[in-house]
């Protein structure tokens, strides 16, 4: 056991790096880690208990909710409520943001945006799912926190992370000083540092996209897919196609091996499918901190000004060179169509 560093120990050790409300942010990260362990416990025995399948409800985005979506949502809100460091939770599973109004959270300084369970369509078939979270400072100084506290640009994030419930369970997070990954050791029930200072390869040879939607993709994306499939030994093409359908798992793999994940606009999702506040921004922050890049096809994800809670965005995220190449192709067609000026 010697040399093992737990998430709790690591957070405290790194606390000196935070510029603001150090103890509070440490406790908030710890609370998220605890909720993740509870969700992990349920995910792991999902087939044995009555937690698989549809809940019979639909969220604001018209998506059917799974029982585990609701369970994970409840666990994270409850951990953040009793922790006392968070004044608002904005979650995929609730129409409006959830103000935390408990005696312990009276002076809470942080906002959390969360996708409690990412990859819902994979839950029932034992494929990796995840949790994504993003943390902001509260901007307002008195009264109840408001929607303006939630609608901050991704560049304002103080921390972001994801949990992947996969062949092992990992928690990966950043506070803006690099990215570190922890693997849950079930024998001691602790996340232990396993991937210190994660770096994403600058280039890669994996592309991840739901190619079934090809016919609806913008021309730039079609061109990039064709580019990925051309033989060219010098640039390691054709690339390998890998698509799990859980954003967390797809991006986690690409982060380690090098690759690009794309969810563009389509006919059925003209603004993209993934949500800016609790999917795109946190993953963009992590990937950039690991040396990668995230774009909506034309501009940096982290600089998009959010105007609504469940706002969607297209996303091109991963190894920097791959994302830049895809952006170049998007721009080329947009210029041709007169959709943008340079
Ligand atoms: P969620 O389960 O939180 O709604 O997110 C699902 C997202 C993302 O995880 C995944 O990459 C993508 O939807 C898959 O969408 P398609 O099935 O359209 O490919
Ligand atoms: Mn999701
Ligand atoms: Mn989800």
């Amino acid at each position: 056991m010697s040399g093992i560093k737990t998430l709790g120990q690591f957070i405290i050790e790194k606390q000196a790096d935070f510029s603001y409300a150090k103890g509070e942010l440490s406790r908030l990260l710890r609370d998220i880690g605890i909720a993740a362990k509870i969700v992990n416990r349920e995910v792991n025995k999902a087939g044995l208990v009555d937690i698989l399948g549809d809940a019979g409800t639909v969220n604001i985005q018209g998506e059917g909710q799974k029982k585990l979506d609701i369970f994970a949502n409840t666990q994270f809100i409850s951990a953040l409520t009793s922790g006392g460091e968070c004044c608002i939770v904005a979650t995929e599973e609730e129409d409006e943001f959830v103000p935390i109004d408990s005696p312990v959270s009276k002076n809470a300084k942080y906002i959390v945006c969360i996708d409690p369970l990412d990859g819902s369509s994979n839950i029932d078939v034992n494929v990796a799912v995840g949790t994504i979270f993003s943390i902001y400072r509260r901007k307002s100084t008195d009264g109840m926190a408001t929607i303006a506290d939630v609608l901050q640009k991704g560049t304002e994030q103080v921390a972001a992370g994801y949990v992947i419930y996969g062949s092992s369970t990992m928690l990966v997070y950043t506070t803006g000083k690099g990215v570190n990954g922890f693997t849950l050791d079930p024998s001691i029930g602790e996340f232990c540092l396993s991937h210190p200072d994660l770096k994403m390869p600058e280039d890669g040879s994996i592309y991840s996209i739901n190619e079934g939607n090809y016919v609806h993709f913008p021309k730039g994306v079609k061109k990039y897919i064709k580019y990925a499939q051309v033989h060219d030994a010098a640039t390691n093409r054709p690339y390998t196609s890998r698509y799990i359908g859980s954003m967390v798992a797809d991006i986690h793999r690409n982060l380690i091996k090098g690759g690009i994940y794309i969810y563009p606009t389509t006919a059925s999702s003209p603004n993209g499918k993934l949500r800016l506040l609790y999917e795109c921004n946190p993953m963009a922050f992590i990937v950039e901190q690991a040396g990668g890049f995230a774009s909506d096809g034309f501009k940096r994800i982290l600089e998009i000004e959010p105007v609504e809670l469940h706002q969607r965005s297209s996303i091109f995220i991963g190894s920097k060179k791959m994302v830049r190449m895809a952006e170049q192709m998007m721009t080329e067609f947009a210029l041709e169509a007169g959709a943008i000026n340079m």
Side-chain angles (χ1 to χ4, degrees):
M1 291 287 281
S2 68
I4 280 185
K5 187 163 289 171
T6 68
L7 176 66
Q9 290 168 332
F10 187 86
I11 290 171
I12 299 294
E13 224 170 75
K14 295 287 168 190
Q15 167 165 306
D17 290 350
F18 309 157
S19 52
Y20 165 92
K22 299 169 193 272
E24 286 94 326
L25 182 56
S26 295
R27 286 196 288 277
L28 184 53
L29 290 166
R30 179 207 58 194
D31 295 341
I32 290 173
I34 293 169
K37 285 195 254 182
I38 297 172
V39 171
N40 174 69
R41 190 185 64 200
E42 295 307 301
V43 167
N44 268 288
K45 61 177 186 196
L48 299 171
V49 290
D50 182 29
I51 202 155
L52 289 180
D54 297 328
T57 47
V58 170
N59 68 15
I60 180 96
Q61 298 151 80
E63 300 159 342
Q65 292 174 306
K66 301 275 184 184
K67 290 181 194 160
L68 262 174
D69 279 325
I70 295 178
F71 177 82
N73 190 49
T74 308
Q75 287 306 324
F76 280 102
I77 293 178
S78 142
L80 293 169
T81 304
S82 50
E85 312 305 345
C86 169
C87 55
I88 283 185
V89 186
T91 154
E92 178 187 352
E93 304 306 337
E94 312 268 351
D95 305 1
E96 307 290 341
F97 67 79
V98 182
I100 309 285
D101 189 15
S102 78
V104 281
S105 52
K106 259 207 350 250
N107 298 312
K109 297 183 173 72
Y110 290 102
I111 313 286
V112 175
C113 300
I114 192 159
D115 177 355
L117 207 84
D118 175 65
S120 298
S121 65
N122 283 324
I123 295 170
D124 293 348
V125 291
N126 209 354
V127 172
V129 291
T131 295
I132 311 172
F133 62 90
S134 168
I135 302 175
Y136 292 87
R137 276 177 207 142
R138 175 182 174 168
K139 293 260 158 146
S140 55
T141 48
D142 54 8
M144 292 290 283
T146 69
I147 184 72
D149 290 305
V150 182
L151 299 180
Q152 300 189 43
K153 283 198 292 192
T155 46
E156 301 293 305
Q157 289 172 100
V158 290
Y162 61 80
V163 184
I164 173 167
Y165 312 97
S167 47
S168 62
T169 295
M170 280 189 72
L171 188 148
V172 174
Y173 83 100
T174 181
T175 54
K177 295 234 156 65
V179 180
N180 291 284
F182 300 78
T183 301
L184 183 64
D185 180 340
S187 66
I188 57 168
E190 293 280 4
F191 283 106
C192 300
L193 183 62
S194 53
H195 295 64
D197 198 18
L198 269 167
K199 291 284 177 234
M200 180 159 213
E202 216 192 339
D203 205 354
S205 55
I206 296 174
Y207 73 105
S208 313
I209 186 166
N210 185 343
E211 240 167 302
N213 292 326
Y214 185 87
V215 66
H216 299 303
F217 288 157
K219 284 183 179 160
V221 172
K222 288 181 174 167
K223 181 168 177 181
Y224 187 78
I225 291 174
K226 285 299 155 211
Y227 167 86
Q229 295 172 344
V230 166
H231 174 74
D232 178 45
T235 50
N236 222 357
R237 287 179 290 148
Y239 294 157
T240 291
S241 165
R242 289 280 183 274
Y243 190 75
I244 296 168
S246 293
M247 180 202 205
V248 166
D250 278 307
I251 295 180
H252 178 72
R253 180 204 50 242
N254 293 356
L255 177 66
I256 290 172
K257 295 192 165 189
I260 184 169
Y261 173 93
I262 304 175
Y263 209 111
T265 56
T266 63
S268 59
S269 310
N271 299 317
K273 175 182 181 188
L274 300 177
R275 280 60 52 112
L276 181 62
L277 292 182
Y278 42 82
E279 291 179 317
C280 301
N281 271 339
M283 296 312 278
F285 188 26
I286 297 162
V287 162
E288 284 200 10
Q289 281 294 315
F293 190 64
S295 165
D296 70 352
F298 304 100
K299 57 183 180 302
R300 190 177 173 216
I301 288 282
L302 294 180
E303 286 173 13
I304 297 174
E305 196 81 58
V307 291
E308 59 186 29
L309 200 58
H310 299 288
Q311 185 167 332
R312 296 173 191 263
S313 173
S314 50
I315 187 165
F316 298 66
I317 181 168
S319 294
K320 204 180 255 171
K321 284 192 174 164
M322 300 176 88
V323 176
R324 291 298 190 196
M325 174 66 80
E327 263 188 332
Q328 217 175 296
M329 293 178 186
M330 290 297 288
T331 305
E332 188 187 311
F333 283 102
L335 281 173
E336 215 177 85
I340 55 168
N341 301 307
M342 290 294 263

